[in-house]
């Protein structure tokens, strides 16, 4: 794996915690040049310093994926620092679950903005670069919620179904030069559940997430997809706890 990741330029959204942070650690340790983006710049700065101290080539930039100009600036920064973009990992996501009858429209809109528009903004910024390079890879984070719907998760699942559809459409359109991978994690250690404001949904998720797998399990799946030869596109990986019935 190290040989195929070594030297690749990888930009990661939502890199301040959870899967994004774990992926940054893994890829930097295997010789990738990593660019981190998120809103919490204090965490990005600390992570960047830690990885650089271990010999990693790492940069960071503040990023709000709901703003197209932010994502364009993030990709431009990556090009300025490293001269190319080999992989864009659209990882940023939110999951404020609640029943539809609670009418939490602001939370619905936030999920649409981050989970769908954020991915589209990443594609819009990265695709012209990869087409010019005649190479590249998008890795988009969906979820098991992109494969099956459960109570309190209707809007969240809809956003993750959308990520699946967008990714498959992109894969069919870009041809032989650009790879598209969807990673669908099951219950994984992260801060996603912290965004749940509805008390009943928050308690349900606390119980549901007791058997969560660590974020670095998802990072390894991402590393596997990146490490494949250029003519091999790992289109989709579902990864979940062994004990999970979902």
């Amino acid at each position: 794996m190290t040989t195929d990741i070594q030297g690749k330029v990888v930009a990661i959204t939502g890199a301040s915690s959870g899967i994004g942070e774990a992926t940054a650690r893994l890829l930097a340790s295997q010789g990738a040049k990593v660019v981190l983006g998120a809103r919490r710049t204090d965490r990005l700065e600390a992570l960047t310093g830690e990885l650089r101290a271990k010999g990693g080539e790492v940069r960071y930039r503040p990023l709000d994926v709901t703003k197209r100009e932010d994502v364009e600036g993030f990709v431009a920064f990556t090009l300025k620092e490293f001269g190319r973009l080999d992989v864009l990992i659209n990882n940023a996501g939110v999951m404020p679950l609640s029943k539809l009858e609670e009418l939490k429209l602001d939370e619905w809109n936030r999920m649409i903005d981050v989970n769908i528009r954020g991915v589209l903004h990443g594609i819009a910024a990265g695709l012209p670069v990869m087409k010019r390079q005649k190479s590249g890879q998008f890795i988009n984070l969906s979820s098991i919620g992109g494969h099956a719907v459960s109570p309190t998760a209707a809007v969240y699942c809809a956003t993750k179904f959308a990520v699946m559809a967008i990714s498959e459409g992109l894969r069919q359109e870009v041809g032989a030069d650009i790879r598209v991978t969807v990673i669908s994690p099951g219950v994984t250690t992260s801060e996603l559940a912290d965004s749940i404001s509805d008390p009943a949904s928050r308690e349900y998720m606390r119980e549901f997430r007791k058997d969560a797998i660590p974020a670095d399990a998802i990072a390894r799946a991402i590393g596997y997809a990146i490490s494949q030869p250029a003519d091999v596109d790992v289109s989709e990986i579902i990864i979940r706890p062994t004990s999970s019935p979902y």
Side-chain angles (χ1 to χ4, degrees):
M1 183 180 294
T2 304
T3 300
D4 295 315
I5 290 176
Q6 182 88 29
K8 284 191 174 180
V9 178
V10 184
I12 307 172
T13 75
S16 61
S17 65
I19 292 170
E21 177 184 352
T23 301
R25 291 181 183 279
L26 177 72
L27 297 181
S29 74
Q30 295 185 344
K33 300 174 182 179
V34 182
V35 182
L36 312 177
R39 292 180 302 156
R40 294 179 292 186
T41 53
D42 56 333
R43 293 197 178 192
L44 294 181
E45 183 177 8
L47 179 58
T48 298
E50 178 187 340
L51 297 180
R52 283 179 174 174
K54 296 177 180 178
E57 290 193 69
V58 185
R59 308 287 190 273
Y60 77 91
R61 180 183 170 93
L63 174 64
D64 181 345
V65 298
T66 69
K67 299 177 180 177
R68 180 180 177 181
E69 62 273 17
D70 258 28
V71 184
E72 290 175 342
F74 181 59
V75 169
F77 175 74
T78 300
L79 296 176
K80 176 177 176 292
E81 293 296 308
F82 293 122
R84 60 184 295 108
L85 174 65
D86 295 306
V87 185
L88 177 58
I89 303 177
N90 286 308
N91 167 70
V94 293
M95 191 184 69
L97 305 183
S98 63
K99 290 184 177 180
L100 291 171
E101 67 186 20
E102 297 294 332
L103 301 180
K104 292 181 177 289
L105 273 74
D106 288 345
E107 294 185 356
W108 300 350
N109 288 331
R110 180 67 179 161
M111 283 188 278
I112 291 167
D113 286 343
V114 176
N115 299 355
I116 301 178
R117 288 195 178 94
V119 171
L120 289 170
H121 289 164
I123 292 169
L127 186 55
V129 175
M130 294 181 187
K131 287 178 74 69
R132 287 197 302 270
Q133 294 174 170
K134 299 188 183 303
S135 68
Q137 182 175 16
F138 289 97
I139 298 183
N140 299 330
L141 272 290
S142 181
S143 165
I144 55 168
H147 298 262
V149 181
S150 56
T152 76
V155 178
Y156 175 75
C157 291
T159 67
K160 293 304 184 177
F161 270 85
V163 171
M164 294 287 295
I166 291 164
S167 300
E168 176 59 13
L170 178 63
R171 186 193 68 80
Q172 293 180 20
E173 291 177 9
V174 293
D177 296 329
I178 299 170
R179 302 188 294 177
V180 181
T181 299
V182 181
I183 306 289
S184 295
V187 185
T188 304
T189 302
S190 73
E191 297 179 0
L192 271 180
D194 295 348
S195 63
I196 300 175
S197 65
D198 179 67
S201 299
R202 188 166 57 246
E203 182 58 32
Y204 170 77
M205 283 305 296
R206 186 176 291 116
E207 289 298 314
F208 184 72
R209 296 173 71 85
K210 281 185 176 179
D211 293 328
I213 54 177
D216 60 8
I218 313 304
R220 291 194 298 272
I222 292 171
Y224 171 78
I226 294 172
S227 72
Q228 299 307 300
D231 62 345
V232 175
D233 187 355
V234 179
S235 301
E236 182 181 353
I237 300 176
I238 301 174
I239 179 168
R240 53 164 66 94
T242 304
S243 61
S244 175
Y246 304 103

